Amino acid sequence: MAQTAYEALFFPLRDAFVEAQRRGEVRDINPEMLAGFYLALMDGITFSQTQPVSVGRAEMAEAAIDMVLHGIMTGRHTASGRTLYRVGSPPQCAGPAV
């Protein structure tokens, strides 16, 4: 049953990443790895709620999604010279993510 539940989440999520890649909204990264990473991240949030000191589930999920979409670096430049996400100023979705 746990495998069925996992697959019920994994495959639609993988398909969503594939479609986002086709639209140029997500970099060309193996969509199965993206889906697995995303589910592992969400599972970690669930586990963290069992710990004695924890932030709220919604706050943690929002932070995790923000890190996935925007990274953790502030105002740094990539080797190609592109500026990465700056705090308080999320990137526009005009092309593939950095």
Side-chain angles (χ1 to χ4, degrees):
M1 185 155 153
Q3 183 65 29
T4 302
Y6 177 82
E7 290 173 1
L9 293 170
F10 179 84
F11 292 118
L13 188 55
R14 180 203 58 196
D15 295 345
F17 281 122
V18 167
E19 289 303 313
Q21 287 173 334
R22 285 188 188 139
R23 293 188 305 267
E25 297 170 348
V26 175
R27 291 186 308 153
D28 187 21
I29 299 171
N30 181 326
E32 291 189 357
M33 287 178 55
L34 288 171
F37 170 72
Y38 187 84
L39 289 175
L41 188 61
M42 294 300 112
D43 191 45
I45 291 171
T46 299
F47 171 76
S48 73
Q49 299 303 298
T50 66
Q51 303 307 303
V53 178
S54 181
V55 298
R57 183 184 194 110
E59 182 181 354
M60 189 172 289
E62 185 176 329
I65 291 167
D66 182 64
M67 284 188 286
V68 168
L69 293 176
H70 303 124
I72 61 171
M73 298 180 75
T74 61
R76 305 255 176 168
H77 294 276
T78 64
S80 67
R82 294 176 67 186
T83 301
L84 297 175
Y85 175 75
R86 292 182 189 276
V87 174
S89 165
Q92 301 299 315
C93 293
V98 176

